[in-house]
């Protein structure tokens, strides 16, 4: 998952539009330099020098368009050769037009030269841009002999602009690296939370059951229950600390030790690309102490979303069985809205004392935090818990259809 997100960040890189813009800039400025010569060719004492250089520059520009398509193809040797073409054009200008030193006119490559400097800026940042623009400035000063105010102005403009662009590129790259790292951390955190939910719904519940039964039976079973309780506490501490490794081996091992409170066979048509009727997954929960109210039509969700929502409902009902008392009654209501699916689990138990959920989470008991709220958060939904001491508890689970 993290690798896929990193690849998306690379594809969405801010550099790519800059390379496309540079490609267009080089073509347009090459055409501009050629047209500039065509309209002023009568001013050149040696037009063949200008024609020869502009022909080489045009062929070089068109032949090297793939080189400025992205950073990988724009290598250091190419940058050096490209800058050399620009510098040669600047230094050849007085040879083609003797008056160029005195009239302060454009050089043979004209503004095409800036494309070479910008390539340095995008590829290597502001330091590379400063190096390339300094060489261009030196070539312009040599070509002019006695630099004029306009020459100094143009040189300074190219120098400042290229360094600024190079600095912006460096900042963008640093931001992308930070974003990629944040996405990796987010993906790892979500994977740990998902695995923690699986452990809570499986291994921890089994250990808690063994502890209770062992204590009730006494004798050697009591010792076994005590050991199971110690392991439960250790595993809860590990889960709540975020140190659970998101490995397939651990996941398979935990699922191999599962004794689910409700096991549901998926329908045959529950494929990863199809839809699953949520009612089929929730129906096995109905019983003497759980009343199930459902719509008359199928409640269709994506398979993964339906499974996660059903698991959250199972966790809520497990809490009712464990904490509401033996005689508690529960009601399970499914509502199929146009934009979301709402499942409500309500009981008539003693309710949850104020601050109990925060205390349980601090002790590593993550039933509500991970098995319920964590699952709904991963689906883009929400889980609201309302409880009044002495009046029961209500858990409302909402899953938006688009996000799910």
């Amino acid at each position: 998952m993290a690798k896929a997100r990193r690849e998306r960040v690379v594809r969405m890189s801010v550099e790519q539009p800059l390379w496309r813009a540079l490609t267009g800039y080089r073509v347009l400025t090459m055409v501009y330099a050629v047209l500039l010569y065509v309209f002023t060719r009568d001013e050149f004492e040696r037009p063949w020098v200008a024609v020869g250089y502009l022909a080489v520059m045009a062929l070089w520009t068109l032949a090297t368009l793939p080189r400025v398509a992205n950073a990988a193809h724009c290598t250091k040797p190419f940058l050096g050769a490209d800058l050399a073409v620009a510098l040669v054009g600047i230094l050849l200008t007085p040879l083609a037009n003797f008056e160029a030193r005195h009239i302060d006119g454009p050089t043979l490559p004209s503004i095409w030269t800036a494309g070479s400097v910008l390539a340095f800026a995008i590829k290597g940042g502001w330091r590379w841009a400063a190096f390339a623009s300094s060489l261009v400035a030196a070539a312009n000063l040599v070509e002019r002999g006695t630099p004029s105010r306009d020459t100094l102005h143009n040189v300074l403009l190219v120098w400042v602009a290229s360094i600024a662009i190079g600095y912006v590129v460096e900042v963008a790259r640093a931001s992308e690296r930070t974003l990629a790292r944040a996405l990796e951390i987010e993906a790892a955190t979500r994977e740990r939370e998902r695995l923690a939910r699986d452990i809570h719904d499986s291994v921890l519940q089994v250990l808690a059951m063994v502890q209770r039964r062992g204590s009730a039976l006494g004798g050697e079973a009591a010792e076994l229950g005590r050991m199971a309780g110690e392991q439960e506490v250790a595993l809860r501490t590990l889960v709540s600390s975020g140190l659970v490794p998101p490995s397939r081996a651990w996941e398979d091992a935990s699922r191999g030790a599962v004794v689910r409170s409700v096991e549901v066979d998926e329908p045959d048509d529950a494929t990863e690309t199809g839809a699953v009727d949520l009612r089929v997954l929730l129906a096995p929960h109905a019983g003497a102490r759980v009343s199930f109210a459902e719509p008359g039509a199928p409640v269709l969700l994506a398979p993964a979303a339906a499974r996660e929502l059903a698991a959250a409902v199972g966790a809520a009902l497990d809490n009712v069985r464990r904490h509401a008392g033996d005689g508690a009654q529960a009601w399970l209501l499914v509502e199929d809205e146009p934009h979301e699916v709402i499942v409500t689990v309500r009981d008539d138990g003693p309710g949850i004392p104020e601050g109990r959920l925060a205390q349980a989470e601090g002790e590593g008991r993550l039933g509500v935090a991970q098995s319920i709220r964590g699952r709904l958060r991963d689906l883009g939904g929400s889980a609201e818990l309302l409880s009044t001491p002495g009046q029961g508890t209500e858990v409302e689970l909402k899953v938006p259809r688009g996000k799910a």
Side-chain angles (χ1 to χ4, degrees):
M1 181 185 296
K3 181 179 179 181
R5 294 193 180 198
R6 283 199 305 271
E7 290 175 351
R8 283 200 298 272
V9 171
V10 172
R11 288 197 295 269
M12 295 164 55
S13 171
V14 70
E15 290 184 38
Q16 201 54 44
L18 292 177
W19 288 113
R20 288 195 293 266
L22 179 60
T23 302
Y25 177 86
R26 287 169 64 87
V27 174
L28 292 176
T29 53
M30 179 267 293
V31 173
Y32 173 79
V34 172
L35 292 178
L36 186 63
Y37 165 75
V38 170
F39 291 120
T40 60
R41 60 184 180 277
D42 294 337
E43 301 176 4
F44 286 80
E45 290 81 2
R46 294 175 180 173
W48 57 270
V49 174
V51 170
Y53 171 77
L54 291 174
V56 171
M57 187 189 75
L59 291 175
W60 172 261
T61 301
L62 297 176
T64 57
L65 287 181
R67 288 286 190 172
V68 290
N70 52 60
H73 294 157
C74 190
T75 60
K76 290 182 180 180
F78 163 74
L79 288 174
D82 193 60
L83 184 61
V85 172
L87 296 178
V88 168
I90 295 173
L91 297 176
L92 282 178
T93 302
L95 184 62
N97 182 7
F98 298 150
E99 298 297 323
R101 288 177 176 264
H102 308 293
I103 62 176
D104 205 22
T107 60
L108 286 177
S110 184
I111 57 176
W112 183 88
T113 304
S116 299
V117 178
L118 292 176
F120 271 83
I122 300 174
K123 174 69 175 182
W126 70 269
R127 293 176 180 82
W128 288 29
F131 169 76
S133 58
S134 298
L135 291 181
V136 170
N140 275 280
L141 295 176
V142 170
E143 183 264 335
R144 295 300 178 190
T146 302
S148 65
R149 183 180 63 180
D150 290 340
T151 300
L152 294 176
H153 176 269
N154 293 335
V155 166
L156 182 62
L157 181 62
V158 172
W159 197 74
V160 172
S162 60
I163 290 178
I165 293 176
Y167 179 75
V168 169
V169 170
E170 288 189 0
V171 171
R173 284 175 180 158
S175 300
E176 286 176 357
R177 288 192 295 268
T178 302
L179 176 59
R181 179 57 182 161
L183 290 175
E184 288 182 12
I185 295 174
E186 179 190 3
T189 301
R190 287 185 178 275
E191 179 67 9
R192 289 191 182 96
E193 289 180 354
R194 184 190 64 79
L195 186 54
R197 290 194 298 267
D198 287 345
I199 295 173
H200 174 272
D201 294 347
S202 56
V203 180
L204 290 177
Q205 291 186 10
V206 172
L207 291 174
M209 182 187 67
V210 172
Q211 182 187 20
R212 289 195 300 271
R213 293 291 294 166
S215 299
L217 293 174
E220 295 183 357
E223 178 63 18
L224 180 61
R226 184 190 64 79
M227 295 173 62
E230 293 176 354
Q231 294 301 313
E232 179 193 6
V233 172
L235 187 53
R236 285 189 187 277
T237 302
L238 184 63
V239 170
S240 61
S241 66
L243 298 177
V244 177
S247 64
R248 177 62 60 182
W250 176 272
E251 183 178 350
D252 291 342
S254 66
R255 289 184 176 178
V258 170
V259 178
R260 297 279 185 186
S261 58
V262 177
E263 295 184 358
V264 180
D265 292 333
E266 280 193 10
D268 293 336
D269 60 347
T271 63
E272 290 301 324
T273 57
V276 173
D277 186 358
L278 180 64
R279 303 178 307 168
V280 176
L281 299 180
L282 298 182
H285 291 293
R289 295 182 178 176
V290 178
S291 299
F292 182 38
E294 57 182 313
V299 182
L300 300 178
L301 281 175
R307 288 194 295 267
E308 288 294 284
L309 182 54
V313 171
L317 290 173
D318 285 341
N319 287 336
V320 173
R321 282 188 287 269
R322 288 200 302 267
H323 305 300
D326 295 336
Q329 182 72 27
W331 291 267
L332 179 58
L333 172 63
V334 179
E335 300 174 80
D336 190 8
E337 301 293 341
H339 303 295
E340 63 181 358
V341 174
I342 304 175
V343 180
T344 305
V345 180
R346 184 168 61 87
D347 66 73
D348 59 357
I352 303 175
E354 185 177 355
R356 176 55 186 153
L357 290 179
Q359 179 185 355
E361 187 172 347
E363 295 172 353
R365 301 181 181 275
L366 307 177
V368 174
Q370 297 287 3
S371 292
I372 300 178
R373 286 177 178 158
R375 279 192 165 96
L376 271 294
R377 183 180 64 248
D378 288 349
L379 296 176
S382 63
E384 296 184 7
L385 190 146
L386 302 175
S387 181
T388 302
Q391 299 182 20
T393 302
E394 180 176 306
V395 179
E396 186 179 68
L397 311 175
K398 295 182 179 180
V399 176
R401 288 193 177 277
K403 293 184 179 179

